[in-house]
Amino acid sequence: MAEVRMRNLVKTYPGGSTRATDDVSLDVDDGEFMVLLGPSGCGKTTLLRMVAGLELPDSGQVVIRGRDVTYLPPRERNLSMVFQSYAVFPHKRVRANIGFGLQMRGVPREEITRKVAWAADLLQLAPYLERYPSQLSGGQRQRVAVARAIVMDADVLLMDEPLSNLDAMLRLSFRAELKRLVGEIGTTTLYVTHDQAEALSLGDRIAVMRDGAIVQCDAPIAVYDVPASEFVGGFLGSPPMNFLSGTLAGTNGTVELDLGEGAARLPAPAALAGFRGQAVRAGVRAETIGVSHEQRPGAARCVVEVFEPLGSAVLITADLGGQRIKVQAPATFRADPGDELWLSLEQDNLRWYDPDSGAALATSAPATAS
Amino acid sequence: MSTDVGPPPAPVRAEPLRAPRRVPVPLLLLLPSAVFMALLFGWPLLSGIMEAFRGPDGFTTANWERMAGEPRFWEAVRNTLLLTAVVIPIQFTFAVAMALLLQAKPRGAGFYFYVWAVPLAISDLAAGLVWLAIFTDLGYLNSALVDIGIVERGAQWLNYQNPTSLFLTVVVAEVWRATSLVLIIVVAGMQVIPKDYDEAAQVFGATFWKRLWHVTLPLLRPSLQVALILRTILAFEAFAVAQALTGRNFPLLVGETYEWSVNLQNPAVASAVALVVLGMSMVVAVIYLRALRQPDSVRSGR
Amino acid sequence: MSTVAPAPLLLSDVELPPVDRAPLRRLRRRRAMLQAACILVTLFMGFPVYLIALAAFSSRQTLNAFPKSLLPTEVSTETISAFLSSTGVLPAFLNSIMIGLATLVLALLIGAPAGYAIARFVFRGRDTYQLAMLLTRALPIVVLAVPLAQLFLTAGLYDTILAVTLVHAALALPTTILITASVFVSVPRDLEEAAQLFGCTRAQAFRRIVVPMALPGIAASAIFTFVLSWNEVLAAAVLTLNNRTLPAQVLTSLSDSPLAFRFAGGFALVLPALLFILLMRRYLLNMWGSTLR
């Protein structure tokens, strides 16, 4: 049972004016793949390094496998780590690199050879064991870094943006390989990235961080579909979630969002009835919007600004009553700038946010598909 | 579009489009320095070699025989080699230790670095004089010892009848002076090493000493190699420090060159001695280059 | 407006063990020992400099006393003024300054263009040239000093400021070239090219754009050259007779001079070093880092 528990971790770097991590608490279950996602400076790497022991918190606690490790040096924590720069020792052969951790722990030589062979097989490095890192490509060096980490049988596997130095093609293929590999081995994993696609693909849960705090932590589908704030909705997904400003209006039983300028009225949940007359923001994902050249009941009118054919779909940027909206349509759909289109936004696909704080509003939003 | 412009004009026999032929700019910029160095380095070098073999009747090895016949010469050779052999390991250990201390980022690291680097700009003559003030009979070392009460009167550190003590004072002065140079080179070398390597070693279970052995020192090897060669060659040239501390009681090779050239007015033998120094330097450089050569498959850095 | 509570982080209620502070205490002890070690080293490196200053500012009476106090009892300029008024010292002082300045100007005039060439151009022979420069630093000055004395004698330049300047410039040239090369490399080529696009000739672009940006590095190189020249003993002693530099003067009077003279001389030689390192400490690492290939 190698679970990780972080409690109230606070860290300010010397010379810094703001907290790098602001009272962060998080639990990672045994065998769970937890992704820390956020823009640069959000504190995700600091959090990872505190779990690793490469930084010490100002206050708070880190517990691994029931043992307090908050101030222990890294080598006493039984962890392994993959660095963004790989940190593969250039003066040692691949074999010595992979076996480094085992060598440091005094594992007998035959066992090291056996385990190194096993890890090298898993990562297709067997033909390269006698080479030096300078004779390998970037992708191969990254495999060496991963092999070095998984050979250790550590309690927790830490990864600091391991794919960000690979080119786009390699990144995609290795991402899948990494997911399969880590899934097979089953170690508790803490993974840091700023790439939302990586986070959605790899994580059992994603902890979205901003300005030193976790703003949402949930399964990828939940974080994607029901973002807890505008920030989360805007950070995940490509293109980011659309946000429309409007005022709640409506009479009697109905609640509607008035987008102003006579543009359109969108259906709103009954739970927001008490806020009629107040400004509110509605979030909607580009791919959930229906689009047609013909007017349909309940559809909103917009004017095309940009038409981008992306191959697997088309991305349309349109002006909806003075607000910009991005709509994803099937690849066969065509439109030119200036065309008039009719958008269907279903209430089920709308998410509601407070215009001042950006936080999600309590509505009886449908339970997300599991 | 015009349809027909007639046959194309006859090709003009123009010069190929190229800058007018003259000396390319970079070589022009380099020329003064190359000429300067050739005159002031190359020519004297050749001249010196010839001078060492020159006698009243042309080519002769008489100068060399004269040089080798003086017992002071062999004393100087022994002293120079001994001094170098003792000072270099001490300096390098010391410098690496100091660099590691700084690497740990103690408070006041900037101040420490400044003080530790000061001897870098001190000539060996000045260093000798500084330690003279300390080691001389009525100097500060004896004063301190007497004040503390360890001894009655203080020892005669610079007494010529005590060659070991003489040697040690020169060692101390040289270590003090020249460690800064090695320190700077080592610190510069360490700063280029990405700290990821050390962190990775930490996570994977290496203690401080293991990290030093497996990660830091191997990655420092190129810097150390350069520093060793430069420092050893400079060590062979030590001379004023011994003059300041011991007068003529601790002969060194370059000191002998100075003697032959200035006081004994014999440039031929002086050249011979200088060539001995050159020979030693070259031998040492080759030895270092061989011994510390990286395996071909390991290129430095990434 | 009521907001949605973010999906619970599922913090378990499990009782966590208390924070183990022992490693923190161990860490603090090690930091204390680190400071102690640093202080010890600083004492070893810095104390002798303090002592020579102490000696230089002690009166003759104090210098003859024993045991000497390690703390300044008075500040006397007796020793220093005696030193400065000794025969040959003041002229030697001036010689050293003049030679130092002349050397740094000459080294820059010859070396900076070469450094620029290495930084900006790729040409055949570049590596050979750099290797040659590196090798000359490894050449013992002693091998050259003696023949140079002969050569200067025949050229009529013996015992002149010019002679010493030439030799010092030759000694300083390799380092000057390597430092200025790295300085010019750090000035982005784009700026020069932009200037040329906007109408400057190559020389104008150099003067207006590159020089101001390279100035700190060039200044560092200049000061380094000055100190090199100031400290140089062997060549200066071999090449001069009546127009000595300060180190040469002190060296040749070593055997006949009283201790006080030598202490003051030592201090006079050390003083520029203190200033130099103070001014240059930020560049020190760059200079040596850059001269390592």
Side-chain angles (χ1 to χ4, degrees), chain B residues 121-180:
Chain B
I122 295 184
S123 67
D124 64 333
L125 174 62
L129 292 173
V130 166
W131 285 90
L132 179 67
I134 298 176
F135 282 126
T136 192
D137 291 344
L138 302 180
Y140 290 103
L141 179 59
N142 284 336
S143 303
L145 290 176
V146 165
D147 270 344
I148 302 179
I150 297 182
V151 290
E152 277 283 313
R153 253 183 359 172
Q156 288 189 309
W157 308 100
L158 298 174
N159 186 339
Y160 70 91
Q161 288 171 334
N162 195 348
T164 323
S165 170
L166 274 184
F167 176 66
L168 286 177
T169 58
V170 177
V171 166
V172 170
E174 265 294 279
V175 166
W176 178 81
R177 179 185 72 90
T179 303
S180 318

Side-chain angles (χ1 to χ4, degrees), chain C residues 13-17:
Chain C
D13 294 327
V14 130
E15 179 86 20
L16 292 178

